[in-house]
């Protein structure tokens, strides 16, 4: 895949909200030393910078097809971003605390489009199940609120109740006035 460096740098530093950001220690590719870097997660791209104010990333990791797992390492709170394949690189990262590590592992695990595809599929199945159950529920409670369907139907159902209560209130107010 070919990426335009200027577009990538703009995306990495734009003002849009990020999925996660913070300092992590990144183990060097050729060196055993860890370097403290500022990481920014946007979608399925993990950018890393020298400092939070840097305008261009030092690098980017495209997270598609990766797994995120805890690892034994010299640094505490370490985890790895692994890719499948014989020549694929593994990125070893470490957070500054247990909570930060858990937050990063969760965010990175959810960053791929494959994960989002699974979530959408699961939500579609839940919606189908709710709709199937809703038709059975309506048979038992025909005067109750619609459990599924359009927002407009639900809004209209509750609107009728609000209009009736408002009419009662206005009627009681006019009777109370001399």
């Amino acid at each position: 895949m070919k990426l335009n460096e200027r577009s990538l740098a703009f995306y990495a530093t734009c003002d849009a909200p990020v999925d996660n950001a913070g300092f992590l220690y990144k183990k060097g590719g050729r060196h055993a030393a860890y370097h403290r870097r500022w990481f920014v997660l946007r979608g399925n791209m993990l950018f890393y910078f020298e400092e939070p104010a840097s305008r261009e990333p030092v690098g980017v990791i495209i997270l598609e097809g990766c797994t995120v797992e805890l690892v034994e390492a010299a640094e505490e709170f370490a985890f790895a971003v692994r890719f499948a394949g014989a020549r694929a690189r593994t990125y070893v990262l470490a957070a500054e605390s247990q909570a930060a590590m858990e937050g990063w592992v969760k965010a990175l695990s959810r960053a791929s489009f494959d994960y989002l595809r699974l979530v959408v599929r699961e939500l579609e199945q839940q919606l189908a199940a709710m709709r199937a159950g809703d038709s059975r529920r309506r048979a038992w409670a025909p005067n109750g609120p619609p459990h599924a369907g359009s927002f407009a139907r639900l809004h209209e159902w509750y609107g009728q109740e609000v209009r009736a209560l408002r009419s009662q209130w206005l009627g009681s107010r006019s009777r109370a006035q001399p």
Side-chain angles (χ1 to χ4, degrees):
M1 174 193 308
K2 186 173 182 173
L3 299 171
N4 179 307
E5 284 186 38
R6 263 191 296 196
S7 296
L8 209 53
F10 174 78
Y11 181 61
T13 59
C14 70
D15 291 334
V18 300
D19 297 313
N20 205 359
F23 281 107
L24 291 173
Y25 293 92
K26 180 182 168 292
K27 188 172 184 178
R30 296 186 184 119
H31 310 290
Y34 282 86
H35 300 281
R36 189 171 189 246
R37 300 284 188 240
W38 179 256
F39 280 79
V40 174
L41 176 63
R42 288 182 185 275
N44 68 342
M45 294 185 187
L46 181 62
F47 299 95
Y48 53 99
F49 301 82
E50 292 282 338
E51 296 293 329
S54 299
R55 294 304 301 161
E56 289 206 16
V58 174
V60 62
I61 304 168
I62 299 174
L63 298 169
E64 218 48 52
C66 75
T67 59
V68 183
E69 53 196 54
L70 302 180
V71 294
E72 292 290 325
E75 289 289 320
E76 196 174 15
F77 313 120
F79 59 95
V81 177
R82 295 188 195 279
F83 294 89
R87 302 192 63 174
R89 176 156 178 205
T90 296
Y91 295 87
V92 178
L93 306 170
E96 295 180 332
S97 69
Q98 179 74 26
M101 180 193 68
E102 290 172 5
W104 276 107
V105 168
K106 183 186 261 185
L108 294 171
S109 297
R110 296 176 174 180
S112 76
F113 288 114
D114 287 337
Y115 175 81
L116 292 176
R117 191 175 299 118
L118 289 173
V119 169
V120 168
R121 190 173 300 137
E122 174 66 24
L123 291 173
E124 286 173 341
Q125 290 172 352
Q126 288 178 14
L127 180 60
M130 285 177 61
R131 285 183 174 159
D134 181 52
S135 62
R136 287 189 293 271
R137 263 184 261 145
R138 271 197 224 133
W140 293 102
N143 297 328
H147 295 284
S150 71
F151 173 77
R153 288 192 313 172
L154 188 62
H155 183 70
E156 178 60 31
W157 189 87
Y158 281 109
Q160 290 173 0
E161 182 181 2
V162 169
R163 282 190 295 276
L165 291 170
R166 185 173 187 269
S167 293
Q168 287 176 353
W169 177 74
L170 287 173
S172 67
R173 249 183 75 194
S174 65
R175 284 190 294 266
Q177 291 180 353

